Amino acid sequence: MEQSLTPVAGASSVGALLDWARVRLASRRGSSGLDAEVLLGFALDRPRSSLIGFPERGVSAAETARYRRLIERREAGVPVAYLTGRREFYSLPLTVSSATLVPRPETELLVDKVLERLPTDGRSVVLDAGSGCGAVALAIKHRRPHCRMVAVECSAPALRVAVSNGVRLGLQVEWIRSHWFDALANACCDIIAANPPYVATGDEALVTGDLRHEPRLALDGGVDGLMSLRTIIAGTPRVLASGGTLLLEHGCDQTLPVRNLMDRAGLQGLETYLDLAGHDRVTVGRLP
Ligand code: GLN
């Protein structure tokens, strides 16, 4: 049953709109209150914090209509980041589009583990394999400005988003259109980080959840979810300099096969780290 706004088609107030949206979104998993507030801030072009203390503030009919459309799309599962075109990652405000995966909080762990291994004044060459909107590459370059940051991405529309994020943030990354390492020279990097597609093709989440709105290319890791991880691990001994490090994000149930693949590719000192939810998420290994 549709909750009515008062007045339904006309102007409203911040408080009435938030109450209406919270009810509309309540059946969705996750943070219906936060989503309602972020989207109202976006519709009114005001910071979210300025809404909370002023529920009686008036909202015009045009803004009310705009907000209704946003909430309806969110109700249909479209991620908030696609509705606003923005997402924060590692404290960087990023532009995202439906051509790029929405950067996830758990991927900040991948960045943490790269930064732990990257001296602040060093000139290492760091590669982000499968950059999407550029989140990982830009976060690393922001924290380690002396490193040479290279990123490969096979999707042209995703690469355009990454390039524009780099320009807007004033962070220099060498963006290369390439299927994984195809366009790269031998032993060209000291560190490789990747968050490749690792969801199994048959996983229901790809068709039922919010994931269905995100690019298949960035999520679907083949029948067992390991297809891209296999390609990356197999290609690593060619492009990674000796003594270099590979860091991979993967599914929480993929730790064993990922470690076996890395071991067989000659990577040593394997370590697996847990994300904030307590799930295995990142495995790291070093070439001798
Ligand atoms: N962590 C993502 C998810 O399950 C998957 C990301 C990926 O395949 N790289 O929603």
Side-chain angles (χ1 to χ4, degrees):
M1 193 185 74
E2 168 138 337
Q3 280 285 116
S4 67
L5 287 171
T6 43
V8 173
S12 187
S13 69
V14 162
L17 284 173
L18 286 178
D19 287 346
W20 166 77
R22 285 191 191 106
V23 173
R24 284 288 293 257
L25 299 180
S27 59
R28 305 198 49 73
R29 269 189 308 136
S31 41
S32 58
L34 180 65
D35 290 0
E37 291 165 15
V38 168
L39 291 172
L40 187 56
F42 176 70
L44 304 182
D45 195 21
R46 288 185 209 151
R48 194 182 132 233
S49 54
S50 81
L51 304 176
I52 314 300
F54 303 95
E56 70 289 348
R57 182 180 271 177
V59 179
S60 73
E63 288 168 332
T64 298
R66 182 167 186 229
Y67 186 55
R68 271 186 93 100
R69 282 194 298 276
L70 288 167
I71 293 299
E72 279 158 10
R73 291 177 66 202
R74 178 69 197 115
E75 209 180 0
V78 179
V80 172
Y82 288 165
L83 297 172
T84 62
R86 303 173 198 153
R87 178 64 157 221
E88 192 164 299
F89 180 81
Y90 229 86
S91 303
L92 290 178
L94 299 173
T95 296
V96 298
S97 83
S98 56
T100 66
L101 194 72
V102 178
R104 311 283 206 262
E106 59 264 32
T107 303
E108 296 193 340
L109 176 68
L110 180 68
V111 175
D112 288 340
K113 295 300 155 193
V114 171
L115 297 181
E116 280 174 17
R117 288 160 175 81
L118 202 52
T120 43
D121 53 355
R123 304 209 168 255
S124 312
V125 181
V126 184
L127 174 72
D128 173 11
S131 68
C133 72
V136 169
L138 292 165
I140 295 168
K141 183 66 185 176
H142 184 232
R143 298 301 171 114
R144 296 288 185 271
H146 294 291
C147 79
R148 186 174 147 208
M149 193 72 225
V150 181
V152 291
E153 169 58 53
C154 68
S155 153
L159 204 54
R160 277 196 290 276
V161 175
V163 168
S164 76
N165 275 319
V167 170
R168 191 171 38 78
L169 295 168
L171 293 169
Q172 221 221 315
V173 174
E174 291 162 54
W175 306 104
I176 300 171
R177 182 149 182 228
S178 172
H179 179 70
W180 303 123
F181 306 145
D182 288 359
L184 300 180
N186 292 351
C188 64
C189 44
D190 303 302
I191 291 186
I192 300 172
N195 170 23
Y198 55 72
V199 180
T201 306
D203 191 321
E204 286 230 321
L206 286 177
V207 285
T208 55
D210 291 4
L211 294 190
R212 72 185 188 279
H213 297 277
E214 296 188 87
R216 265 287 173 131
L217 187 67
L219 288 166
D220 189 339
V223 179
D224 58 1
L226 292 164
M227 191 176 71
S228 297
L229 286 159
R230 260 189 218 101
T231 305
I232 292 169
I233 294 167
T236 288
R238 181 180 77 76
V239 291
L240 191 60
S242 60
T245 305
L246 171 68
L247 303 96
L248 291 173
E249 180 174 328
H250 55 77
C252 54
D253 53 353
Q254 294 171 329
T255 310
L256 213 57
V258 166
R259 289 177 72 105
N260 284 337
L261 288 162
M262 288 173 80
D263 185 51
R264 266 183 271 146
L267 290 147
Q268 301 179 348
L270 302 185
E271 292 189 80
T272 298
Y273 299 94
L274 306 179
D275 64 19
L276 288 173
H279 299 127
D280 281 2
R281 188 58 62 194
V282 170
T283 295
V284 181
R286 213 173 0 86
L287 277 186

